[in-house]
Coordinates of all heavy atoms in Angstrom, one line a residue:
M1216 N 0.3 28.7 -10.0 CA -0.4 27.6 -10.6 C -0.4 26.5 -9.6 O 0.4 26.2 -8.9 CB 0.2 27.1 -11.8 CG -0.5 26.0 -12.6 SD 0.1 25.5 -14.2 CE -0.1 26.8 -15.1
Y1217 N -1.7 25.8 -9.3 CA -1.8 24.8 -8.4 C -1.2 23.5 -8.8 O -0.4 22.8 -8.0 CB -3.4 24.7 -8.0 CG -3.8 26.0 -7.4 CD1 -4.6 26.7 -8.2 CD2 -3.8 26.2 -6.1 CE1 -5.1 27.9 -7.8 CE2 -4.3 27.5 -5.6 CZ -5.0 28.2 -6.4 OH -5.6 29.3 -5.9
L1218 N -1.5 23.0 -9.9 CA -1.0 21.7 -10.4 C -0.2 22.0 -11.7 O -0.4 22.8 -12.5 CB -2.2 20.8 -10.9 CG -3.2 20.5 -9.7 CD1 -4.4 19.6 -10.5 CD2 -2.6 19.5 -8.8
T1219 N 0.9 21.1 -11.7 CA 1.9 21.2 -12.8 C 1.5 20.2 -13.8 O 0.7 19.3 -13.6 CB 3.2 21.1 -12.4 OG1 3.4 19.7 -12.0 CG2 3.6 22.1 -11.4
E1220 N 1.9 20.2 -15.0 CA 1.7 19.1 -16.0 C 2.3 17.8 -15.4 O 1.6 16.8 -15.7 CB 2.3 19.4 -17.4 CG 1.6 20.6 -18.1 CD 2.1 20.8 -19.4 OE1 2.9 20.0 -19.9 OE2 1.7 21.9 -20.1
H1221 N 3.3 17.8 -14.8 CA 3.8 16.6 -14.1 C 2.8 16.0 -13.1 O 2.6 14.7 -13.1 CB 5.1 17.0 -13.4 CG 5.7 15.7 -12.6 ND1 6.3 14.7 -13.2 CD2 5.7 15.5 -11.3 CE1 6.7 13.8 -12.4 NE2 6.3 14.2 -11.0
D1222 N 2.2 16.9 -12.4 CA 1.1 16.5 -11.3 C 0.0 15.7 -12.1 O -0.4 14.7 -11.7 CB 0.5 17.6 -10.6 CG 1.7 18.2 -9.7 OD1 2.6 17.7 -9.2 OD2 1.5 19.5 -9.4
V1223 N -0.4 16.4 -13.2 CA -1.6 15.8 -13.9 C -1.2 14.4 -14.5 O -2.0 13.5 -14.5 CB -2.0 16.8 -15.1 CG1 -3.0 16.2 -16.0 CG2 -2.6 18.0 -14.4
R1224 N 0.0 14.3 -15.0 CA 0.5 12.9 -15.5 C 0.5 12.0 -14.4 O 0.1 10.7 -14.6 CB 1.9 13.1 -16.2 CG 1.9 13.8 -17.6 CD 3.2 13.7 -18.1 NE 3.3 14.5 -19.2 CZ 3.8 15.8 -19.1 NH1 4.2 16.4 -18.0 NH2 3.9 16.6 -20.2
E1225 N 0.9 12.4 -13.3 CA 1.0 11.5 -12.1 C -0.4 11.0 -11.6 O -0.7 9.9 -11.3 CB 1.8 12.1 -10.9 CG 3.2 12.3 -11.1 CD 3.9 10.9 -11.2 OE1 3.7 10.1 -10.4 OE2 4.7 10.7 -11.9
I1226 N -1.4 11.9 -11.6 CA -2.7 11.7 -11.1 C -3.3 10.8 -12.2 O -4.0 9.8 -11.9 CB -3.5 13.0 -11.0 CG1 -3.0 13.8 -9.9 CG2 -5.0 12.5 -11.0 CD1 -3.6 15.2 -9.9
A1227 N -3.1 11.0 -13.6 CA -3.7 10.1 -14.6 C -3.1 8.8 -14.5 O -3.8 7.8 -14.6 CB -3.4 10.8 -15.9
S1228 N -1.8 8.6 -14.2 CA -1.2 7.4 -14.1 C -1.7 6.6 -12.8 O -2.2 5.4 -13.0 CB 0.2 7.5 -13.8 OG 0.9 6.2 -13.6
Y1229 N -2.0 7.2 -11.8 CA -2.5 6.7 -10.5 C -3.9 6.2 -10.6 O -4.3 5.0 -10.2 CB -2.3 7.7 -9.3 CG -2.9 7.2 -8.0 CD1 -2.1 6.2 -7.4 CD2 -4.1 7.6 -7.5 CE1 -2.5 5.8 -6.0 CE2 -4.5 7.1 -6.4 CZ -4.0 6.3 -5.6 OH -4.4 5.8 -4.4
T1230 N -4.6 6.9 -11.4 CA -6.1 6.6 -11.6 C -6.3 5.8 -12.8 O -7.4 5.4 -13.2 CB -6.9 7.9 -11.7 OG1 -6.4 8.8 -12.7 CG2 -7.0 8.6 -10.3
R1231 N -5.2 5.5 -13.5 CA -5.1 4.6 -14.7 C -6.1 5.2 -15.8 O -6.9 4.6 -16.4 CB -5.7 3.3 -14.5 CG -4.8 2.5 -13.6 CD -5.3 1.1 -13.3 NE -4.2 0.4 -12.6 CZ -3.5 -0.6 -13.1 NH1 -3.7 -1.0 -14.3 NH2 -2.6 -1.3 -12.3
I1232 N -5.9 6.6 -16.0 CA -6.5 7.2 -17.1 C -5.5 7.4 -18.1 O -4.5 8.1 -17.9 CB -7.1 8.6 -16.7 CG1 -8.2 8.3 -15.6 CG2 -7.5 9.4 -17.8 CD1 -8.7 9.6 -14.9
A1233 N -5.7 7.0 -19.4 CA -4.8 7.1 -20.4 C -4.9 8.5 -21.1 O -6.1 8.9 -21.6 CB -5.0 6.1 -21.4
L1234 N -4.0 9.3 -21.0 CA -4.0 10.7 -21.6 C -2.9 10.7 -22.7 O -1.8 10.3 -22.5 CB -3.5 11.8 -20.5 CG -4.6 12.1 -19.5 CD1 -3.9 13.2 -18.4 CD2 -5.8 12.6 -19.9
E1235 N -3.4 11.3 -23.8 CA -2.5 11.7 -24.9 C -1.6 12.9 -24.3 O -2.1 13.7 -23.6 CB -3.3 12.0 -26.1 CG -4.1 10.8 -26.7 CD -3.3 9.7 -27.2 OE1 -2.2 10.0 -27.7 OE2 -3.8 8.7 -27.1
E1236 N -0.4 13.0 -24.9 CA 0.4 14.2 -24.6 C -0.3 15.4 -24.9 O -0.1 16.5 -24.2 CB 1.6 14.0 -25.2 CG 2.7 15.1 -24.8 CD 3.0 14.8 -23.3 OE1 3.1 13.7 -22.8 OE2 3.3 15.9 -22.7
T1237 N -1.1 15.5 -25.9 CA -1.8 16.8 -26.3 C -2.9 17.0 -25.4 O -3.4 18.3 -25.4 CB -2.4 16.7 -27.7 OG1 -3.3 15.6 -27.7 CG2 -1.3 16.5 -28.7
E1238 N -3.3 16.2 -24.5 CA -4.4 16.5 -23.5 C -3.9 16.9 -22.2 O -4.7 17.5 -21.5 CB -5.2 15.2 -23.3 CG -5.8 14.6 -24.5 CD -6.5 13.3 -24.2 OE1 -5.8 12.4 -23.8 OE2 -7.7 13.1 -24.4
V1239 N -2.6 16.8 -21.9 CA -2.2 17.2 -20.6 C -2.2 18.7 -20.3 O -2.6 19.1 -19.3 CB -0.7 16.7 -20.6 CG1 0.0 17.1 -19.1 CG2 -0.6 15.2 -20.6
A1240 N -1.7 19.6 -21.2 CA -1.8 20.9 -20.9 C -3.2 21.5 -20.8 O -3.4 22.3 -19.8 CB -1.0 21.7 -22.1
P1241 N -4.1 21.1 -21.8 CA -5.5 21.7 -21.5 C -6.1 21.2 -20.2 O -6.8 21.9 -19.5 CB -6.2 21.2 -22.7 CG -5.2 20.9 -23.7 CD -4.0 20.5 -23.0
L1242 N -5.9 19.9 -19.8 CA -6.4 19.3 -18.6 C -5.7 20.1 -17.4 O -6.5 20.3 -16.4 CB -6.2 17.8 -18.6 CG -6.8 17.2 -17.4 CD1 -8.3 17.4 -17.3 CD2 -6.4 15.7 -17.5
T1243 N -4.5 20.4 -17.4 CA -3.8 21.0 -16.4 C -4.5 22.5 -16.3 O -4.8 22.9 -15.0 CB -2.3 21.3 -16.7 OG1 -1.8 20.0 -16.8 CG2 -1.6 22.0 -15.6
V1244 N -4.7 23.2 -17.2 CA -5.4 24.5 -17.2 C -6.9 24.3 -16.7 O -7.2 25.1 -15.7 CB -5.5 25.0 -18.6 CG1 -6.4 26.4 -18.6 CG2 -4.1 25.5 -19.1
E1245 N -7.6 23.4 -17.0 CA -9.0 23.2 -16.5 C -9.0 22.8 -15.2 O -9.8 23.3 -14.3 CB -9.6 22.1 -17.4 CG -11.1 21.9 -17.1 CD -11.7 20.8 -18.1 OE1 -11.0 20.6 -19.2 OE2 -12.6 20.3 -17.7
L1246 N -8.1 21.9 -14.7 CA -8.1 21.5 -13.2 C -7.6 22.7 -12.4 O -8.3 22.9 -11.3 CB -7.1 20.4 -13.0 CG -7.8 19.0 -13.6 CD1 -6.6 17.9 -13.3 CD2 -8.9 18.4 -12.9
N1247 N -6.7 23.5 -12.7 CA -6.4 24.7 -12.0 C -7.6 25.6 -12.0 O -7.7 26.4 -11.0 CB -5.0 25.3 -12.7 CG -3.9 24.5 -12.3 OD1 -3.7 24.1 -11.1 ND2 -3.0 24.3 -13.1
T1248 N -8.2 25.8 -13.0 CA -9.5 26.6 -13.1 C -10.4 26.2 -12.0 O -11.0 27.1 -11.2 CB -10.1 26.6 -14.5 OG1 -9.1 27.2 -15.4 CG2 -11.3 27.6 -14.5
I1249 N -10.7 24.9 -11.9 CA -11.7 24.4 -11.0 C -11.2 24.6 -9.5 O -11.8 25.1 -8.7 CB -11.8 22.7 -11.2 CG1 -12.5 22.6 -12.5 CG2 -12.6 22.2 -9.9 CD1 -12.5 21.2 -12.9
I1250 N -9.9 24.5 -9.3 CA -9.3 24.7 -8.1 C -9.5 26.2 -7.7 O -9.8 26.5 -6.5 CB -7.7 24.2 -8.0 CG1 -7.8 22.8 -8.1 CG2 -7.2 24.8 -6.7 CD1 -6.3 22.3 -8.2
E1251 N -9.2 27.1 -8.7 CA -9.3 28.6 -8.3 C -10.7 29.0 -8.1 O -11.1 29.6 -7.2 CB -8.8 29.3 -9.7 CG -8.9 30.8 -9.4 CD -7.9 31.3 -8.3 OE1 -6.9 30.7 -7.9 OE2 -8.3 32.3 -7.8
N1252 N -11.6 28.3 -8.8 CA -13.1 28.6 -8.6 C -13.5 28.1 -7.1 O -14.6 28.7 -6.6 CB -14.0 27.9 -9.7 CG -13.8 28.6 -10.9 OD1 -13.4 29.8 -10.9 ND2 -14.1 27.9 -12.0
L1253 N -13.0 27.1 -6.6 CA -13.3 26.8 -5.3 C -12.5 27.3 -4.2 O -12.8 27.2 -3.0 CB -12.9 25.1 -5.2 CG -13.8 24.2 -6.1 CD1 -13.2 22.9 -5.9 CD2 -15.2 24.3 -5.6
R1254 N -11.5 28.1 -4.5 CA -10.7 28.9 -3.5 C -11.6 29.8 -2.5 O -11.3 29.8 -1.4 CB -9.7 29.7 -4.1 CG -8.7 30.3 -3.1 CD -7.3 30.7 -3.6 NE -7.5 31.7 -4.8 CZ -7.0 32.9 -4.9 NH1 -6.6 33.4 -3.7 NH2 -7.1 33.5 -5.9
P1255 N -12.6 30.4 -2.9 CA -13.5 31.1 -1.9 C -13.9 30.3 -0.8 O -14.1 30.9 0.4 CB -14.6 31.7 -2.7 CG -14.1 31.8 -4.2 CD -13.1 30.7 -4.2
I1256 N -14.1 29.0 -0.9 CA -14.5 28.3 0.1 C -13.5 28.3 1.3 O -13.9 28.1 2.4 CB -14.9 26.7 -0.3 CG1 -16.0 26.8 -1.3 CG2 -15.0 25.9 0.9 CD1 -16.3 25.6 -2.0
T1257 N -12.3 28.3 0.9 CA -11.3 28.3 2.1 C -11.2 29.6 2.9 O -10.6 29.7 3.8 CB -9.9 28.0 1.4 OG1 -9.5 29.1 0.5 CG2 -9.9 26.8 0.5
E1258 N -11.9 30.6 2.5 CA -11.7 31.9 3.1 C -12.7 32.2 4.2 O -12.8 33.1 4.8 CB -11.9 33.0 2.1 CG -10.7 33.1 1.1 CD -10.9 33.9 -0.1 OE1 -11.9 34.7 -0.2 OE2 -9.9 33.9 -1.0
Y1259 N -13.7 31.1 4.4 CA -14.8 31.4 5.3 C -14.0 31.0 6.7 O -13.3 30.1 6.8 CB -15.9 30.4 5.1 CG -16.7 30.6 4.0 CD1 -16.7 29.8 2.8 CD2 -17.6 31.8 4.0 CE1 -17.6 30.2 1.6 CE2 -18.3 32.1 2.9 CZ -18.3 31.3 1.8 OH -19.1 31.8 0.7
D1260 N -14.5 31.8 7.7 CA -14.1 31.5 9.1 C -15.0 30.5 9.6 O -16.2 30.7 9.9 CB -14.1 32.9 9.9 CG -13.7 32.6 11.4 OD1 -13.1 31.6 11.6 OD2 -14.0 33.4 12.2
L1261 N -14.5 29.3 9.9 CA -15.2 28.1 10.3 C -15.0 27.8 11.8 O -15.2 26.8 12.3 CB -15.0 26.9 9.4 CG -15.4 27.2 8.0 CD1 -15.1 25.9 7.1 CD2 -16.9 27.5 7.7
T1262 N -14.4 28.8 12.5 CA -14.0 28.6 13.8 C -15.4 28.2 14.6 O -16.3 29.0 14.6 CB -13.4 29.8 14.5 OG1 -12.3 30.1 13.7 CG2 -12.9 29.6 15.9
G1263 N -15.4 27.2 15.5 CA -16.5 26.7 16.2 C -17.6 26.1 15.5 O -18.6 25.7 16.1
V1264 N -17.5 25.9 14.1 CA -18.5 25.3 13.4 C -18.2 23.7 13.4 O -17.2 23.3 13.2 CB -18.5 25.7 11.9 CG1 -19.5 24.8 11.0 CG2 -18.8 27.1 11.8
E1265 N -19.3 22.9 13.9 CA -19.2 21.6 14.1 C -19.2 20.9 12.6 O -20.0 21.4 11.7 CB -20.4 21.0 15.0 CG -20.2 21.4 16.3 CD -19.0 20.8 17.0 OE1 -18.8 19.6 16.7 OE2 -18.4 21.4 17.9
P1266 N -18.6 20.0 12.4 CA -18.4 19.2 11.0 C -19.8 18.6 10.8 O -20.6 18.1 11.7 CB -17.4 18.2 11.3 CG -16.6 18.5 12.4 CD -17.3 19.3 13.2
T1267 N -20.2 18.7 9.6 CA -21.5 18.1 9.2 C -21.2 16.7 8.4 O -20.6 16.9 7.4 CB -22.4 19.0 8.4 OG1 -22.6 20.1 9.2 CG2 -23.7 18.5 7.8
Y1268 N -21.7 15.7 8.7 CA -21.5 14.5 8.1 C -22.4 14.0 7.0 O -22.2 13.3 6.2 CB -21.2 13.4 9.0 CG -20.1 13.6 10.0 CD1 -20.1 14.2 11.3 CD2 -18.8 13.6 9.5 CE1 -19.2 14.3 12.0 CE2 -17.6 13.8 10.2 CZ -17.8 14.2 11.6 OH -16.7 14.5 12.3
H1269 N -23.6 14.6 7.3 CA -24.7 14.3 6.2 C -25.6 15.7 6.2 O -25.8 16.4 7.2 CB -25.6 13.3 6.7 CG -26.5 12.8 5.5 ND1 -27.6 13.5 5.2 CD2 -26.4 11.8 4.7 CE1 -28.2 12.9 4.2 NE2 -27.5 11.7 4.0
P1270 N -25.8 16.2 5.0 CA -26.4 17.6 4.8 C -27.9 17.6 5.4 O -28.5 18.5 5.7 CB -26.5 17.8 3.4 CG -26.3 16.3 2.7 CD -25.6 15.6 3.6
I1271 N -28.6 16.4 5.6 CA -29.9 16.4 6.2 C -29.7 15.5 7.4 O -29.6 14.3 7.5 CB -30.8 15.6 5.3 CG1 -30.9 16.4 3.9 CG2 -32.3 15.6 5.9 CD1 -31.7 15.7 2.9
A1272 N -29.8 16.3 8.5 CA -29.5 15.7 9.9 C -30.7 14.8 10.3 O -31.8 14.9 9.8 CB -29.4 16.8 10.9
G1273 N -30.5 13.8 11.1 CA -31.5 13.0 11.6 C -31.9 11.8 10.8 O -32.8 11.0 11.2
L1274 N -31.3 11.6 9.7 CA -31.5 10.5 8.9 C -30.9 9.3 9.4 O -29.8 9.2 10.0 CB -31.1 10.5 7.4 CG -31.9 11.6 6.7 CD1 -31.2 11.7 5.2 CD2 -33.3 11.3 6.5
T1275 N -31.5 8.0 9.3 CA -31.0 6.8 9.6 C -31.1 5.8 8.5 O -32.0 5.9 7.8 CB -31.6 6.2 11.0 OG1 -33.1 6.1 10.6 CG2 -31.5 7.0 12.2
N1276 N -30.2 4.8 8.6 CA -30.3 3.8 7.5 C -31.6 2.9 8.0 O -31.8 2.5 9.0 CB -29.1 2.9 7.5 CG -28.0 3.6 6.9 OD1 -28.1 4.4 6.0 ND2 -26.7 3.2 7.3
V1277 N -32.3 2.5 6.9 CA -33.4 1.5 7.0 C -32.9 0.2 6.5 O -32.5 0.0 5.4 CB -34.5 2.1 6.2 CG1 -35.8 1.0 6.3 CG2 -35.0 3.4 6.5
M1278 N -32.7 -0.8 7.4 CA -32.2 -2.0 7.1 C -33.3 -3.1 7.2 O -34.1 -3.1 8.2 CB -31.1 -2.4 8.1 CG -30.0 -1.3 8.1 SD -29.1 -1.2 6.6 CE -27.6 -2.1 7.2
R1279 N -33.3 -4.0 6.4 CA -34.3 -5.1 6.5 C -33.7 -6.2 7.3 O -32.5 -6.4 7.6 CB -34.6 -5.7 5.2 CG -33.5 -6.3 4.3 CD -34.0 -6.9 3.1 NE -32.8 -7.3 2.2 CZ -32.3 -8.4 2.4 NH1 -32.6 -9.3 3.4 NH2 -31.3 -8.8 1.6
D1280 N -34.5 -7.1 7.8 CA -34.0 -8.2 8.6 C -33.1 -9.0 7.7 O -33.5 -9.2 6.5 CB -35.2 -9.1 9.2 CG -35.9 -8.2 10.3 OD1 -35.2 -7.4 11.0 OD2 -37.1 -8.6 10.5
D1281 N -32.2 -9.7 8.2 CA -31.3 -10.5 7.5 C -32.0 -12.0 7.7 O -31.8 -12.7 8.6 CB -29.8 -10.6 8.2 CG -28.8 -11.3 7.2 OD1 -29.2 -11.6 6.1 OD2 -27.7 -11.5 7.7
V1282 N -32.7 -12.3 6.5 CA -33.4 -13.6 6.5 C -32.8 -14.5 5.4 O -32.7 -13.9 4.3 CB -34.9 -13.4 6.4 CG1 -35.7 -14.6 6.3 CG2 -35.4 -12.4 7.5
V1283 N -32.6 -15.6 5.7 CA -32.1 -16.6 4.7 C -33.3 -17.0 3.8 O -34.3 -17.5 4.3 CB -31.5 -17.9 5.3 CG1 -31.1 -18.9 4.2 CG2 -30.3 -17.5 6.1
V1284 N -33.1 -16.8 2.5 CA -34.3 -17.3 1.5 C -33.7 -18.1 0.5 O -32.4 -18.0 0.3 CB -35.0 -16.0 1.0 CG1 -35.7 -15.3 2.0 CG2 -34.0 -15.2 0.3
P1285 N -34.5 -18.9 -0.1 CA -34.0 -19.7 -1.3 C -33.4 -18.9 -2.3 O -33.8 -17.7 -2.7 CB -35.2 -20.5 -1.9 CG -36.2 -20.4 -0.8 CD -35.9 -19.1 -0.1
C1286 N -32.2 -19.4 -2.9 CA -31.6 -18.5 -4.1 C -31.2 -19.5 -5.3 O -31.4 -20.7 -5.1 CB -30.4 -17.8 -3.5 SG -29.2 -18.9 -2.8
L1287 N -30.5 -18.9 -6.2 CA -30.1 -19.7 -7.2 C -29.0 -20.7 -6.8 O -28.1 -20.3 -6.0 CB -29.4 -18.8 -8.4 CG -30.4 -17.7 -9.0 CD1 -29.5 -16.8 -9.9 CD2 -31.4 -18.3 -9.8
S1288 N -28.8 -21.9 -7.4 CA -27.8 -22.7 -7.2 C -26.5 -22.1 -8.0 O -26.7 -21.4 -8.8 CB -28.3 -24.2 -7.9 OG -28.1 -24.1 -9.2
R1289 N -25.5 -22.8 -7.5 CA -24.2 -22.3 -8.2 C -24.2 -22.6 -9.7 O -23.7 -21.7 -10.4 CB -22.9 -22.9 -7.6 CG -21.6 -22.6 -8.1 CD -20.5 -23.3 -7.6 NE -20.1 -22.6 -6.3 CZ -19.1 -22.8 -5.6 NH1 -18.3 -23.7 -5.9 NH2 -18.8 -22.0 -4.6
E1290 N -24.7 -23.7 -10.1 CA -24.8 -24.1 -11.4 C -25.6 -23.1 -12.3 O -25.1 -22.7 -13.4 CB -25.2 -25.5 -11.7 CG -24.4 -26.6 -11.1 CD -24.3 -26.6 -9.5 OE1 -25.4 -26.3 -8.9 OE2 -23.4 -27.1 -8.9
V1291 N -26.7 -22.7 -11.7 CA -27.6 -21.8 -12.5 C -27.0 -20.3 -12.5 O -27.0 -19.7 -13.6 CB -29.0 -21.9 -11.8 CG1 -29.8 -20.7 -12.4 CG2 -29.7 -23.1 -11.9
A1292 N -26.4 -19.9 -11.4 CA -25.8 -18.6 -11.4 C -24.6 -18.6 -12.3 O -24.3 -17.5 -12.8 CB -25.4 -18.3 -10.0
M1293 N -23.8 -19.5 -12.5 CA -22.7 -19.4 -13.3 C -23.0 -20.0 -14.7 O -22.0 -19.9 -15.6 CB -21.6 -20.2 -12.6 CG -21.3 -19.7 -11.2 SD -19.7 -20.6 -10.6 CE -18.5 -19.7 -11.5
A1294 N -24.1 -20.3 -15.1 CA -24.4 -21.0 -16.4 C -24.1 -19.9 -17.5 O -23.8 -20.3 -18.7 CB -25.9 -21.3 -16.5
S1295 N -24.4 -18.6 -17.4 CA -24.1 -17.7 -18.4 C -22.7 -16.9 -18.2 O -22.6 -15.9 -18.9 CB -25.3 -16.6 -18.3 OG -25.3 -15.8 -17.1
A1296 N -21.8 -17.4 -17.3 CA -20.5 -16.8 -17.1 C -19.7 -16.9 -18.3 O -19.7 -17.9 -19.1 CB -19.9 -17.4 -16.0
Y1297 N -19.0 -15.8 -18.7 CA -18.0 -15.9 -19.8 C -17.0 -16.9 -19.7 O -16.6 -17.7 -20.5 CB -17.5 -14.6 -19.9 CG -16.4 -14.4 -21.0 CD1 -16.8 -14.4 -22.4 CD2 -15.0 -14.4 -20.9 CE1 -16.0 -14.3 -23.4 CE2 -14.1 -14.3 -21.9 CZ -14.5 -14.3 -23.2 OH -13.6 -14.2 -24.3
A1298 N -16.4 -17.0 -18.3 CA -15.4 -18.0 -18.1 C -15.5 -18.5 -16.6 O -15.6 -17.6 -15.8 CB -14.0 -17.5 -18.4
T1299 N -15.3 -19.7 -16.2 CA -15.2 -20.2 -14.9 C -14.0 -21.1 -14.8 O -13.4 -21.5 -15.7 CB -16.4 -20.9 -14.6 OG1 -16.5 -22.1 -15.4 CG2 -17.7 -20.1 -14.8
Q1300 N -13.7 -21.2 -13.5 CA -12.5 -22.1 -13.1 C -12.8 -22.5 -11.6 O -12.9 -21.7 -10.8 CB -11.2 -21.3 -13.2 CG -10.0 -22.1 -12.9 CD -8.6 -21.4 -13.0 OE1 -8.7 -20.4 -13.7 NE2 -7.6 -22.0 -12.6
D1301 N -12.7 -23.8 -11.5 CA -12.9 -24.4 -10.1 C -14.1 -23.8 -9.4 O -14.1 -23.6 -8.2 CB -11.6 -24.1 -9.2 CG -10.4 -24.7 -9.8 OD1 -10.5 -25.8 -10.5 OD2 -9.4 -24.0 -9.7
G1302 N -15.2 -23.6 -10.1 CA -16.5 -23.2 -9.5 C -16.4 -21.8 -9.2 O -17.3 -21.3 -8.5
Q1303 N -15.6 -21.0 -9.7 CA -15.6 -19.5 -9.5 C -15.6 -18.8 -10.9 O -15.1 -19.3 -11.9 CB -14.5 -19.2 -8.8 CG -14.3 -19.9 -7.4 CD -13.1 -19.5 -6.7 OE1 -12.2 -18.6 -7.0 NE2 -12.9 -20.1 -5.5
Y1304 N -16.0 -17.5 -10.9 CA -16.1 -16.6 -12.1 C -14.4 -16.4 -12.4 O -13.7 -16.1 -11.5 CB -16.7 -15.3 -11.9 CG -18.0 -15.5 -11.8 CD1 -18.7 -15.4 -10.5 CD2 -19.0 -15.7 -12.9 CE1 -20.1 -15.5 -10.3 CE2 -20.3 -15.8 -12.8 CZ -20.9 -15.7 -11.4 OH -22.2 -15.9 -11.3
R1305 N -14.1 -16.5 -13.7 CA -12.7 -16.1 -14.1 C -12.9 -14.8 -14.8 O -13.6 -14.6 -15.8 CB -12.3 -17.3 -15.0 CG -10.8 -17.0 -15.4 CD -10.3 -18.1 -16.1 NE -8.9 -17.8 -16.6 CZ -8.0 -18.7 -16.9 NH1 -8.4 -20.0 -17.1 NH2 -6.9 -18.4 -17.3
V1306 N -12.1 -13.8 -14.2 CA -12.2 -12.4 -14.8 C -10.8 -11.9 -15.2 O -9.8 -12.4 -14.6 CB -12.9 -11.4 -13.9 CG1 -14.3 -11.8 -13.6 CG2 -12.1 -11.5 -12.5
P1307 N -10.8 -10.9 -16.1 CA -9.4 -10.4 -16.4 C -8.8 -9.6 -15.1 O -9.5 -8.9 -14.4 CB -9.7 -9.2 -17.5 CG -11.1 -9.8 -18.0 CD -11.8 -10.4 -16.8
S1308 N -7.6 -9.7 -15.0 CA -6.8 -9.1 -13.9 C -6.8 -7.5 -14.2 O -6.7 -7.1 -15.3 CB -5.3 -9.6 -13.9 OG -4.7 -8.8 -12.9
I1309 N -6.9 -6.8 -13.2 CA -6.9 -5.4 -13.3 C -5.6 -4.8 -12.6 O -5.3 -3.7 -12.8 CB -8.2 -4.6 -12.7 CG1 -8.2 -5.0 -11.2 CG2 -9.3 -5.0 -13.4 CD1 -9.2 -4.2 -10.5
L1310 N -4.9 -5.7 -11.9 CA -3.7 -5.3 -11.3 C -2.5 -6.1 -11.9 O -2.7 -7.2 -12.4 CB -3.7 -5.5 -9.8 CG -4.8 -4.6 -9.1 CD1 -4.8 -5.0 -7.6 CD2 -4.6 -3.1 -9.2
G1311 N -1.3 -5.7 -11.8 CA -0.1 -6.4 -12.3 C 0.0 -6.4 -13.6 O -0.3 -5.5 -14.4
D1312 N 0.5 -7.5 -14.2 CA 0.9 -7.5 -15.7 C -0.3 -8.0 -16.5 O 0.0 -8.3 -17.7 CB 2.3 -8.3 -15.9 CG 2.0 -9.7 -15.4 OD1 1.0 -10.1 -14.8 OD2 3.0 -10.6 -15.5
G1313 N -1.5 -8.2 -16.0 CA -2.6 -8.6 -16.8 C -2.8 -10.0 -16.8 O -2.2 -10.7 -16.0
G1314 N -3.6 -10.6 -17.6 CA -3.8 -12.1 -17.7 C -5.1 -12.3 -16.9 O -5.5 -11.4 -16.0
D1315 N -5.5 -13.5 -17.1 CA -6.9 -13.9 -16.3 C -6.5 -14.4 -14.9 O -5.4 -14.9 -14.6 CB -7.7 -15.0 -17.1 CG -8.3 -14.4 -18.3 OD1 -8.5 -13.2 -18.3 OD2 -8.6 -15.2 -19.1
R1316 N -7.3 -14.2 -14.0 CA -7.2 -14.7 -12.6 C -8.4 -15.5 -12.2 O -9.5 -15.3 -12.5 CB -7.1 -13.6 -11.6 CG -5.9 -12.6 -11.8 CD -4.7 -13.3 -11.4 NE -3.6 -12.6 -11.9 CZ -2.5 -12.1 -11.3 NH1 -2.6 -12.1 -10.1 NH2 -1.5 -11.5 -12.1

């Protein structure tokens, strides 16, 4: 087996996914099935094969010129904000013990 139930709990905790205890065992089986289905990829001899960073070679990013244009004032932009503080958006904390920041 590739992943244990302990591994799945750790991954869920790290990614902040709330799992019920009844979900751990079936998810462990499902993840191990996915890993097993991908195993043939590791059996290819890739000696001398250059890494490919994009599946379609020769593409480049198309960037527009960085031109300053008129935009919304701070007051207009923040008019529909749920909460503000000192001219900034106030949002719930996603790290630590919670609370607004």
